[in-house]
Amino acid sequence: MSGPADEAAFMRRAIALSEEAVAKGQAPFGAVVVDAAGRVVGEGHNTVRAHHDPTAHGEMVALRDAWGRLGERGPLEDCTLYTSCEPCLMCTVVIAQMRLRRVVFAARGTDVPGAQRLFDADLAKAAAWIDGRPGWRAVEVEGDVLRDEALAVMRLFDWL
């Protein structure tokens, strides 16, 4: 199991990936998938513009990478997703469907300039809804981890 130092290292990697995204003209979102043994099994950053794919959020890219590396979906259930920003509603649905154990994020969705929330939903509200559904696995959520570092990268991106 990972400790606080590992947690910070995983989040710093997600933030570094968000910085890579900015350097490539992509929105500043990066994510890392870590298994129960503390190994990085997937990572990625936003590639929406590069791939003309509105689903290519950092979390989605990292989850696709993890599933590809693991070869099957089952092991993802014991993983934690570290992401530079609170997942949007689309990513939250996928996180729930993949039955991830835990999500740790840095910046909040409300920190994204011009962001509009569908149903005024955030990850915490969605997780509470998921947790109350029979047959759905509860999702542990921790936010604001290294938030200032993530916000510094977000300021590097031209949001226009």
Side-chain angles (χ1 to χ4, degrees), residues 1 11 16 18 21 23 27 31-32 38 44-45 47 49 56-57 63 70 75-76 78 89 94-95 98 102 122 146:
M1 196 67 164
M11 185 58 75
S18 73
V32 176
H45 62 72
T47 60
R49 292 177 180 182
H57 292 191
L63 287 168
L70 295 171
L76 285 168
D78 293 322
L89 194 54
V94 172
I95 289 163
M98 300 304 294
R102 187 165 172 252
D122 61 18
L146 302 179

Side-chain angles (χ1 to χ4, degrees), residues 7-8 11-12 14-15 18 28-29 83-86 104-113 117 142-155:
E7 297 257 306
M11 185 58 75
R12 282 198 173 91
I15 293 169
S18 73
F29 305 114
T83 179
S84 64
C85 188
E86 180 181 17
V104 180
F105 66 87
R108 295 194 165 269
T110 53
D111 294 324
V112 178
R117 291 173 177 247
E142 182 178 354
D144 299 325
V145 175
L146 302 179
R147 183 174 181 218
D148 289 338
E149 291 181 32
L151 291 173
V153 176
M154 288 176 115
R155 287 190 287 273

Side-chain angles (χ1 to χ4, degrees), residues 4-22:
D6 294 328
E7 297 257 306
F10 296 139
M11 185 58 75
R12 282 198 173 91
R13 178 62 185 146
I15 293 169
L17 287 163
S18 73
E19 201 164 12
E20 282 182 34
V22 171

Side-chain angles (χ1 to χ4, degrees), residues 35-94:
D35 71 9
R39 294 180 300 248
V40 173
V41 294
E43 62 180 28
H45 62 72
N46 184 291
T47 60
V48 168
R49 292 177 180 182
H51 296 131
H52 307 282
D53 178 356
T55 70
H57 292 191
E59 298 92 342
M60 302 291 278
V61 173
L63 287 168
R64 287 177 185 136
D65 184 42
W67 194 349
R69 288 188 200 190
L70 295 171
E72 56 185 294
R73 175 181 166 168
L76 285 168
E77 293 185 12
D78 293 322
C79 291
T80 298
L81 177 71
Y82 294 85
T83 179
S84 64
C85 188
E86 180 181 17
C88 71
L89 194 54
M90 175 188 71
C91 292
T92 298
V93 168
V94 172

